[in-house]
Amino acid sequence: MKKPILSLLTFFAASSLSITSCQTPPEVNQEDVTRIITTLASDEMEGRMIFTPGIEKASQFIQEEFKKAGLEYLEGMDSYNQQFNIYSITPGNAIISVDGKVVEPQNFLTMSSAESLEWPELEGVTVHTVAASDNFQSKYGEISRMSGKNLVLVDPAHKDFFGRVKNFTLRANRATEVNNNDATVMVLTNNTAIKSLNVKIENTVKAQSLSNVTGKITGNRENEIVLFGAHYDHLGIREGMEGDNLFNGANDDASGTTAVITLAKYFAAMGKKPERTIVFVAFTAEESGGYGSRHFSEQLNPDEIVAMFNIEMIGKGAKEGPNTAWITGFEKSSFGKLLQEAVEGTEYTFYPDPYPTQNLFYRSDNATLARLGVPAHSISTTQIDIDQDYHKASDEVSTLDMAHMTNTIKAIAKAAERMISGEQTPTRVDPSGLR
Ligand SMILES: [Zn+2]
């Protein structure tokens, strides 16, 4: 809750500060905000679906804007383009033999990103069992995340669920790397004392290129990073759909991407080296598995990121009225509290995510960084429970409120000031408390 008297005092304190400061602060300009979001959400960008020319155009545009801002490249890079591959895996032939006998196809399944893999013996393979009395469904999550060479012997009591998993693994899926040694092989059998094993797996593996767009302003404390991010990908064009089938993704998340670009310009225009390094990233593939934020988080030391502002869907007014935004995972670090304090005395307010049952903290790129301990939260203003345009072709610029968006970007800039100056550092997120 805001306290009017305190707010007024803070206001006077703030204004006297700006009188004594000698530099005119840069402006967040509504015209430029409108130009950027209109470009990103234009039909020319074809809904910014991964692996399409439309998202390439969007990437080019963001890179040009980062250049205009004068951002530096991230360390070790020679452009703003953070390119990486993911792999589409289409299952091919697999032959599994246990104790010298070939297992019937309906009684085994493989989880592997190998182009070609061969295990001639049981040695080196870890054997797990799922007994008839075990809850296979609840064990499955853990099993699917195992690394190394694994054989899982599943009691035939779980035949039905096994069949469902098998069908799932037979479809093409994606992996972040090709691994020609490791796999998880599951066999439906009541033999839990097997003596020999032979595995041959072949998949068709196709590399596909993805790119984040990244840039930075190096601070005096080079290795303390304040991160601003938003995803620039969206859902593209839906073939076979009647009427408008181009999903422009204006609110989701051209609005957040616009904020990231605008903040880059704003902080670069300060004209002096910030105390902390500021990194800006437009993530790819948020809508298709979160591969962009995953790759990004592996390119730097997450311990160096002191805070992450993930900006999602800020084009429409929030539930609590104009000039408000909400923060996901409010209780997971002191990030939200610091933001609230930072804008006290202004006309803007931050408050906790009003839709806790929607699990929004886990539904965007911030979660990837939060699982590494980073105080990484999404800031949004959209009434997700009643919004008519969310993940619809109607998510167009005409439905957005540019003045509100501009005010929100200004509030985020203000809220980040003392984190960038090094005066404030949010507490870390405890990854053990996360899903
Ligand atoms: Zn989104």
Side-chain angles (χ1 to χ4, degrees):
M1 282 283 128
K2 277 213 294 182
K3 295 192 185 81
I5 295 167
L6 261 181
S7 304
L8 209 60
L9 282 173
T10 324
F11 174 73
F12 284 123
S15 49
S16 67
L17 268 180
S18 68
I19 289 160
T20 52
S21 116
C22 44
Q23 204 159 16
T24 345
E27 288 275 327
V28 172
N29 172 313
Q30 187 175 327
E31 239 169 79
D32 204 40
V33 166
T34 308
R35 177 187 65 84
I36 295 167
I37 192 164
T38 306
T39 308
L40 283 170
S42 68
D43 285 357
E44 207 196 324
M45 303 283 175
E46 297 173 322
R48 308 183 305 279
M49 179 68 179
I50 55 167
F51 312 135
T52 66
I55 198 168
E56 290 305 319
K57 280 185 200 165
S59 161
Q60 281 302 328
F61 173 73
I62 299 163
Q63 291 181 56
E64 282 158 27
E65 295 295 311
F66 277 10
K67 191 173 174 193
K68 277 193 224 167
L71 294 190
E72 304 153 56
Y73 302 142
L74 295 197
E75 211 171 307
M77 288 179 59
D78 55 8
S79 82
Y80 299 122
N81 193 29
Q82 189 178 60
Q83 192 274 335
F84 61 100
N85 284 341
I86 62 167
Y87 302 89
S88 85
I89 315 283
T90 311
N93 276 331
I95 301 169
I96 314 293
S97 303
V98 171
D99 292 345
K101 271 170 63 182
V102 174
V103 181
E104 295 284 322
Q106 70 270 21
N107 291 334
F108 76 80
L109 64 88
T110 62
M111 294 170 174
S112 158
S113 63
E115 244 173 325
S116 172
L117 172 155
E118 203 167 340
W119 299 344
E121 56 188 10
L122 187 58
E123 203 187 318
V125 178
T126 310
V127 181
H128 315 258
T129 55
V130 178
S133 57
D134 285 336
N135 184 339
F136 187 20
Q137 292 200 35
S138 71
K139 267 193 153 178
Y140 173 71
E142 201 184 311
I143 289 170
S144 68
R145 285 193 296 269
M146 291 191 303
S147 56
K149 298 179 181 177
N150 297 289
L151 174 69
V152 185
L153 303 171
V154 180
D155 190 278
H158 301 294
K159 189 167 171 274
D160 288 352
F161 187 67
F162 186 92
R164 269 154 59 198
V165 176
K166 167 125 184 147
N167 284 338
F168 181 72
T169 57
L170 284 177
R171 274 181 245 140
N173 52 57
R174 291 188 182 126
T176 52
E177 57 182 49
V178 175
N179 185 327
N180 283 315
N181 299 309
D182 298 342
T184 294
V185 175
M186 295 168 100
V187 177
L188 198 65
T189 178
N190 41 32
N191 175 5
T192 52
I194 71 159
K195 290 172 192 70
S196 76
L197 175 73
N198 191 292
V199 170
K200 284 189 188 117
I201 297 173
E202 277 170 14
N203 293 311
T204 304
V205 176
K206 208 175 112 205
Q208 293 177 300
S209 177
L210 289 173
S211 296
N212 295 322
V213 187
T214 57
K216 69 167 178 170
I217 304 168
T218 304
N220 293 322
R221 304 185 206 170
E222 211 172 316
N223 298 328
E224 293 181 24
I225 296 165
V226 175
L227 175 64
F228 294 94
H231 69 93
Y232 75 102
D233 71 304
H234 193 61
L235 302 171
I237 297 170
R238 291 270 164 93
E239 297 302 338
M241 197 178 126
E242 300 253 317
D244 181 5
N245 66 349
L246 199 161
F247 289 57
N248 299 81
N251 196 20
D252 185 14
D253 190 21
S255 70
T257 308
T258 299
V260 168
I261 293 169
T262 306
L263 290 163
K265 290 180 175 174
Y266 176 85
F267 288 115
M270 291 281 185
K272 59 168 189 166
K273 200 172 186 178
E275 185 60 22
R276 282 179 166 145
T277 295
I278 318 173
V279 172
F280 303 90
V281 53
F283 293 114
T284 187
E286 189 270 351
E287 308 275 17
S288 316
Y291 296 104
S293 50
R294 170 125 60 114
H295 179 79
F296 175 86
S297 71
E298 289 164 356
Q299 307 312 305
L300 76 181
N301 178 357
D303 297 344
E304 294 180 354
I305 306 174
V306 299
M308 178 198 193
F309 293 73
N310 185 54
I311 308 165
E312 270 271 15
M313 301 173 68
I314 56 162
K316 294 177 179 180
K319 193 175 175 179
E320 308 261 309
N323 291 319
T324 67
W326 43 267
I327 299 163
T328 65
F330 197 89
E331 70 294 343
K332 296 187 195 315
S333 83
S334 64
F335 178 90
K337 196 103 196 49
L338 293 179
L339 261 60
Q340 286 181 326
E341 286 167 18
V343 297
E344 247 176 52
T346 74
E347 57 185 13
Y348 210 94
T349 318
F350 290 103
Y351 61 95
D353 169 12
Y355 314 105
T357 57
Q358 298 238 16
N359 294 315
L360 295 164
F361 181 77
Y362 295 99
R363 280 170 55 188
S364 191
D365 293 309
N366 64 292
T368 308
L369 280 297
R371 288 193 188 95
L372 301 168
V374 178
H377 302 261
S378 292
I379 298 170
S380 181
T381 67
T382 298
Q383 300 181 46
I384 193 102
D385 54 340
I386 53 167
D387 188 65
Q388 294 298 307
D389 306 309
Y390 176 65
H391 281 198
K392 300 260 173 63
S394 60
D395 181 4
E396 311 219 26
V397 172
S398 58
T399 65
L400 305 185
D401 178 344
M402 293 303 149
H404 161 75
M405 225 179 101
T406 307
N407 284 340
T408 302
I409 298 169
K410 282 181 188 169
I412 293 171
K414 171 105 187 105
E417 257 170 32
R418 278 184 271 178
M419 292 186 197
I420 292 168
S421 69
E423 291 161 75
Q424 285 183 336
T425 305
T427 56
R428 308 293 291 174
V429 165
D430 175 10
S432 71
L434 302 185
R435 281 190 260 140

